[in-house]
Structures are given as structure tokens and as C-alpha cells.
Amino acid sequence: KFDFSNEYNATSIHAEGDKYFIDQVTKLSQGDIDITLHTGGSLGFKSTDNFYAVADNAIQIADTLAGSMAGIDPIFLLSSLPFIVENEDQAEQLYKIAKPYYQKVFAQNGQILLYASPWPASGIWSQKPVTTKEELANLKIRTYDKNGTLTLREAGAEPISLSWGDVVPQLSTGGIKAVLTSADAGASGKFWEHLDNYSAIQYAIPLNMVHMNKEAFDDLSSEEQSAILKAAALTDEHNWQTVRTRVVDNYKELAANNVTIHQNLSKTFISWLQESAKPSLKEWLEDTGKSGSDIMADFEKSK
Amino acid sequence: MIIRLLVSISRRLNQLSGALAMLLIAYLLCHILLEIVLRLFGTSTYVLDEFVGYAIATITFLGLGYSLERNGLIKVNILSDRLPEKYHWILDSFISLVSFAMFFWVSYYWYINVARSFKRNVTSESIAETPLWIPEGMVLVGLTLLCLTLFVRILVLVSTRQVPHIESNK
Amino acid sequence: MEILLSAVGVITLILLVLGLGVWVFSGLAIVALLSLILIGDVSLDRSGAILSRIIFRSANSWELSAIPLFILMGELIFRSDISDRLFRGLEPWTKKIPGGILHTNVFGCALFAAVSGSSAATTATVGKITTTELKKRGYDRSLSVGSLAGAGSLGLLIPPSLVMIVYGIQSEVSISKLFMAGVLPGVLIAALYSGYIICRALLNPSLCPPEQSHAASKLESLVLLFPVISLIVIVMGAIYTGIATPSEAAAVGVFATLVILIKERQLSFKMIQEAMIATLLSSTMVCSILVSAALLSTAMGFLHLPSELASYIASLDLTPAFLLLALAIFYVILGLFLDGISITVMSLPITLPIVIQAGFDPIWFGVFLVILIELGQITPPVGFNLFVLQGLTGEKIGKVAKAAFPFFLLMCLAAFILCLVPEIALWLPNALSN
Ligand code: NA
Ligand code: NA
């Protein structure tokens, strides 16, 4: 009997993937392995708690935002670095290259990495179109992590950090004018009630990681272990497919709610943003040393 | 003699932690106001919700021993209202002992975690990159102080055989 | 029905441990541990890893910050003459209404709910200002404490509301619309409470003593009410212009209070010191109970208790009306011992799909759910408003709960009316979005 915790709502892309995993496990183990998914952080654990909660066997499996583990090892910041990948193909490639490094950190802490759960790419939700450097200037925009704050500040905007719960109230009063997040997250928050534009700047495709306590895994019979691993591999594949279709669906939903989607943004705007992201990348390369530069070199080669 | 020494130590420590907690309430106020003003000028401290979270956790736990000494923590007195006055100290010793055991036990597990955060230098993922052992450690200090206060309370109860009088506010 | 046995077991443990007289904050933690070990069959080691981490997580919360600051605001107002002037200023307006200034509890809470997202903060702040004055003026204790318990929970229904934000995120409905949907039901409940106070005062005039004859004129009263009115304008203004988030409103409130007190030369070092001590004691009491209630919720999550009970209801295949009744009973029972936000996140993945399938509007259900959660705030053994009022008034918990009971029934009535006339919730969001 395992408890599996995530902090996302039951219809989110992560919870859907986690349910898929549990279904596969049930099927492959003929119902011998009983996993209960607790969505919405209902057990009380947030992403930042998950790493050590799983290490200590408080919970056996968790779905964790990789960036939230950056304080444990900077390697986890990789997937949320701005403007490294341009699309889902590259994100998947980068994940495959970095996977052994992730696995190593988990292994050192009594855990195994089961699969990744990618977020749809993040862009800019805004009242007025944001397609040029000038339109971005002094924009009060809510960001979700350190790199977003640093990058957008560098790019001339006015990033604000707010808890997710405060975002909609602040949008409705005009306290913020824009939000850096995916089309998907904005759709689940019904952002079109306050915002009319979405700029697909492809800021990043951050990953969530699903990890399991190693002891709990070792206690299983070898058939059960292979059922888990097989299900994990299937879910990994499934999630990378889903994220692509999800974006397509999101765009349809946005269009249906009269949100203008700005794609194919000008080269000058994108390269301005990329330029602004350089300090974040540089800092990460310093923090991670050789492993960071190895990953980047491999990734450049694969492109 | 030793009991009296312990009582005064625990009282002093609780006064100190209470004062610190009050300073932190003032800090909460100032940081939020500062953030509101900075936002009007298009900038931010970028760490408001993070630091406020640490502060409120610290306030709650540093205030526990302080409040316990001043009888500020509520309980349901269904049983004690029916019990003759002279047995109250027995009941109080028992509930103090049970509470002490509970929080001593939890503190031990939390200590393991704080020590790990310290040894591995785990930080928050924010701009501040706060070493997590600091806020985690503050909660541990509060829990430890609570345990000390409960321990001293048990000693006083057992040695005087009466419920300690309520500390007036300060 | 193994899960029903577990539920009964947990409630028995709570009654036993709290009944012994263990401090509430440690009692709930002990029940959490005992439930994990005795009912959930979780090892001692694992329980330690779980509970110690949740202690830090639940205390380390940005949303909690409003509690000490709102309490501080209440303490400052209580120690100045603003509260006295408030009541003298209200006299000429309420003189003719049976129940007199007792209605400040209801009206004050409803108004305060418009700036505070939690019921604990609403009850603690308004209660600090009103209970002593009402007692001094000889109003019936039970009616004044009960109305405060009931009206304090409006903090969750009248926007902004922490529970609604959680519900909105979990169920992917518009938080803005939810907020709007809560307004009229909030007004309805306030009206029911005021109506009840009027009835009680008419039936038994001794509950509400006649006011002093030298009451101020209506014009003078405006001068007396000026500080309170400016406080309300400043704090609401800060929220509804987007200068401050609802979570930051408390800091604005303290700031505005300080400015008024400085301007009126009422602020002294002694007053600040006393207010700080009282604030620390109250907020430690409230926050520590919230933290240990989180421990209990986590333990219930590991027992799968709320989710399995909800699944049981889902499996019954009830007609829409009976489904609502079953859910109402389910939430009221869980509300006896769990806090509202935890119940919401644990049960929604199961209850929301069946509710939508039965043809109910998710926004309407959100409002209905919030009212059910408010009920849990005033039911023993674990009711936050009851605890706050016990701390505030020094009355026994049983007495507070008894005083709150009529208001519990009135809120049940409101939930029933909302079922009969769903437009009470849905009219405003629909009207405003078209
Ligand atoms: Na409210
Ligand atoms: Na209750």
C-alpha cells in the first residue's frame, strides 16, 4: 500500500499522468500493488517537501516540480532554465541527456526516478499584446521562480512574486497586468476573464519528476518491481505525448474564449529575451560545474 | 533548589523568545508594507511570501512556551471542572507529561531533518537562497523551549502538588 | 463499513484526549499520532517523519500572516477609544431596532469579512472590539457570543476567501465568479442572524438593555464613527484598487490604525507593548491550533478517511436532492473535527464529478460547500470560531458552543434556501459577466 502525493488539482496534466501510471501498475501487477493518489496537496505536502518526505518514507511516491528541488541540487534547475529548449522535441531530448544525472541525485538519497511529467511551455498572459521589447517594458508580471524574475527584470519588465492563490484576485483588481505561465495553467484559472492575449514565447518547458522511496521499492517482489518500472517507462512516453496534444487543445480553448495567441514572434524580441536570460544560464553553469557543461555540450551536439 | 533554578531559567528563556516573536510580528508588518510601497515603484523584495512564511512559523513556535507559562493556550476543562481542586495537580501533571512526550518525540524527528539541512546546506530555491536550517532551526528552538517549559511544569506540579499560578502578562 | 469505524474511532479519540483537558494544540497532535499508529497502522518512525514535516509546512505559510496582524489591529483598536466611539456612534442608528448595538457583531463581521479571507481572523478581530463593550453594556452574553461565532464564519463566504480560492483552483472554476457568488448568500445569512436577534429581543427585552438616554445625535455620531469609517475605506480601497493583495490587507489595516492613533495622540509605548503581548498570546493560540489541526488532517488523509467516505456516497447513486443531503451530512460530520480547506481538497476529486453529473453548477456548489464548511467552524469538538471565542471571552467551550447553536441552525436554513433558490448565488456572477 503506497501513498502518492502531488500538489496539483485532479484534472491537471500531472494528476492525469499519475493516474495513468497507477492504472498501468494495477494492470501489470494484476492489482497486487495498491497506490493511492492524493491530489491537491491533500496530505499536506508541497513540492518543496516532497524530496525529503520520500527519502524519509513519509510518503512512498511523489510528483515534484523539479525547480523546487534546486536548493538540494542545482542540477534540478535545468528544465526550468529560460530559453534553452524551443519545443517539446528538444525538451524531451534534454531530459534524456540529463536523466542519468537526475537519477544519481535520487539514488544518493534513497530514491529512484520513475518518470518525468513535463509542463506545457510557459508564455506570457497579458491584457495588452506583448510582442516587442517596448511592450514588455515596465509590465507588472507575476513570475513563478527565481530565473523568471531575474530574466524578466533584465528584460525591462517589473516581475512580481505572488502566491498562486493571489494571482486571480490581483488580476481582477489590476494589481498585476500579466502572468508568466503556460496556456494550460491560465486556462484552468480562466484567465480570459481578465486577460486577452497570450504570447507563446516558449519561455521554458519545466519538468515535474515522479520519484519513489528505494526501500519501499526494494521490499517488492521482483515481478512487482518490474511492473513498476515498466509502468514508469510507459508513463514517461505517455506524458511526453500528452504534453504535445495538451498544447493543441489549450490553444483551441483559448481561441474559443477570444484570447489572441501570438505565435511566430519577431526574431529581435526573442533574441532580446534570450539575451536577458544569459545571466541565469551562466549562474547555473557555475553552480553545476562539469556536469552542467557536459549536459549542455551533449545537448548542443544533439540539436 | 534545582527546581527553582530551572523555573527561572525557563521563564527567562520564554521571555526572551516571546520578545523575539513580538519583534518578528513587527517585522511582518514592516516587510509587507515595504513590499506594497516597492510595488508601486515597480520593484520588489522578491522574497515576501518566503520570509513571511518563515517568520510566522517562528512566531508560532517561539510563542508556545511563552503562552503556556501565561496560561494563554486553551483547553477543554470538562474533566477538571468535575474533579475536586486537590486532585487537579495530578491531572495537570498527566496532561503535561503526555504533551511533553508528544513534542519531545516530534522534536527528535525534526532535529534529524534540521541537522541534515545544515550538513547538506540545503537552501530554498528563491532568489534569497536561504539556508533552510535557519527557519527550520527556529521552529526546533521553539519546540525545544516548549518541551523545557512542560518539563519544568511537571517538576513544579509534582513538588508543590498544586497547579502553578497564572503568570500575569509580563 | 470499516471506514465508518475508523471515523468513529477518530472522533472517540478526540473526545477522549480533549476531554481529559489536554491543551487543544497538543491534544489534536496527539490524536493525529494515535490515529496514524492505532488506526492507520503506520510505524512510529514513519509517523515521526510525517508529522514533524507537516508541523513545519503548515506553520510556514504566507496565508497565516494575516492572523497576527489582524489580531494586532483588533488589540490596538480595543485599547484606544475608537471602539468606545464606534458603539456610541452607532447608538442613534440602532436605537429603534430591537437588539440595538448587538447587530454590530453581525454587521461588523460581514463588513470585516470583505477584507479578511479567514474566519478565525474575522472572529478574533471583531470579537476583540465588541465582546467587552457588549458585556459592559449588559447585553445577553450568550446572544452576543453566539452571534459572533456565527457571523465570524462569514469571513469565508464574503470575498475575499481563502477556501474559495482553494476550491476555485481545485475545481478549475473562475475564482472571480466564485467571489461574486458568495456575496448575496453572505448577505442572506447576515440578514437571518439580524432577524433572529430582533426576534429574540422582541420576545425578551431584558436580553438587550435600553441605551443611555444621552445618546449622540446622528450628526455627532458621524464624528464618532469617523475613525472606523476611514479604516474601512483605507483597507477596502487598498484591496479593491489592487494596491494590496487580500493577504496583505491586514498589514494595511494595522498601518492605518497606527496612523489614526498617532494623529489622535492616543498611541503610547505602554499601549503598543500591551497590544503586542496580547497579540502574541492570541496568535500563538490560534496558529498553533491551526497547525495541529493540519496534523490531524494529514493523518486523516493517510487513513484515506474523507476520500473513502466520499466514494461511498458516490457509489450510492442517489437522486440529485438526496445527493445534496448526503453531501451536506458528510461535510458537516467531517467538519466536526477537520478544518474546511483540508476537507475540500481531500473530498473534491470524488464529490465534484458526481455533483456536476447530477446537474449542479460548480460555482453554486462552491458556495454551498463554503456554507457547509462554515458550519464546521462552530461545531464542537473542533471548531475554530469556538476556540477563538473561548480564548477571547474565557467562557467554557460548552457554553460557547451552546450559544452558537441557534446560529448553526440558521446557517443550515440558509444552505437549504440556497438549494431551493440557487439564483441567490448565481444571479450576481451571471449578471456581472454579461
Ligand atoms: Na472574506
Ligand atoms: Na467543527
Side-chain angles (χ1 to χ4, degrees), chain C residues 113-118 154-161:
Chain C
V115 296
S116 145
S118 88
L154 289 176
L156 301 178
L157 188 58
I158 295 177
S161 157

Side-chain angles (χ1 to χ4, degrees), chain C residues 338-392:
Chain C
L338 290 176
D339 77 280
I341 292 185
S342 315
I343 303 175
T344 306
V345 287
M346 283 194 243
S347 64
L348 266 189
I350 299 148
T351 55
L352 191 68
I354 51 172
V355 165
I356 290 176
Q357 204 189 6
F360 295 104
D361 185 311
I363 291 188
W364 175 86
F365 183 67
V367 175
F368 182 67
L369 180 62
V370 170
I371 295 181
L372 296 177
I373 285 168
E374 286 188 338
L375 287 170
Q377 304 282 327
I378 54 175
T379 53
V382 182
F384 292 105
N385 284 9
L386 303 181
F387 291 143
V388 168
L389 282 169
Q390 184 188 356
L392 214 59

Side-chain angles (χ1 to χ4, degrees), chain B residues 35-73:
Chain B
E35 183 74 24
I36 293 172
V37 172
L38 286 181
R39 212 159 44 210
L40 290 176
F41 293 99
T43 176
S44 168
T45 62
Y46 302 113
V47 290
L48 179 68
D49 46 356
E50 181 190 0
F51 281 21
V52 163
Y54 299 152
I56 188 79
T58 308
I59 291 166
T60 304
F61 284 91
L62 284 187
L64 271 177
Y66 181 88
S67 299
L68 190 69
E69 271 186 0
R70 282 154 191 79
N71 211 16
L73 300 172

